[in-house]
Amino acid sequence: MSNTETALKEAVAIEGAVGAALVDYTSGMALGTIGGGKDFDLTVAAAGNTDVVRAKVRTMEHLGLQDEIEDILITLGSQYHLIRLLKNRSGAGLFLYLALQKDRANLAMARHQLKRIEDSLEV
């Protein structure tokens, strides 16, 4: 089992990673961040992506879909933004957020590695 700091270090070690965050989507607060920079504020990204998660959860409820969100992918011109909702008991209401440089990342591997990180994370 890994803690937040270890999980974020593992996430930012994924090939092409720009930054990562663990986010509480009920409050919009980032519980931890790593990476980013002056042109990429992870706390702002965390809060903004909270709205994305809430909207998707609400839409699924309106549609009556009895399923779980594994991840949400946002594809930009030069980046992938990957949101992975945590499913374990200690991670309820949380998501891992990972920003990747598109030209350096392998999206399938990044999704696989983020799931592995989720599985070992104990919040």
Side-chain angles (χ1 to χ4, degrees), residues 10 14 84 111-121:
E10 289 176 10
I14 294 171
R84 179 150 193 104
R111 289 183 69 220
H112 175 74
Q113 289 172 294
L114 208 54
K115 182 185 182 330
R116 185 187 48 75
I117 292 166
E118 173 201 0
D119 290 342
S120 68
L121 179 61

Side-chain angles (χ1 to χ4, degrees), residues 26-70:
T26 57
S27 69
M29 297 281 297
L31 304 178
T33 63
I34 189 167
K38 66 180 178 107
D39 295 329
F40 189 67
D41 187 334
L42 279 165
T43 56
V44 172
N49 282 301
T50 295
D51 292 334
V52 172
V53 171
R54 288 179 186 158
K56 188 60 188 173
V57 168
R58 194 171 44 250
T59 301
M60 288 179 62
E61 288 170 358
H62 289 299
L63 292 171
L65 296 176
Q66 302 298 313
D67 212 342
E68 293 181 341
I69 300 169
E70 287 185 17

Side-chain angles (χ1 to χ4, degrees), residues 103-114:
D103 60 351
R104 294 183 35 232
N106 177 322
L107 184 56
M109 283 303 296
R111 289 183 69 220
H112 175 74
Q113 289 172 294
L114 208 54

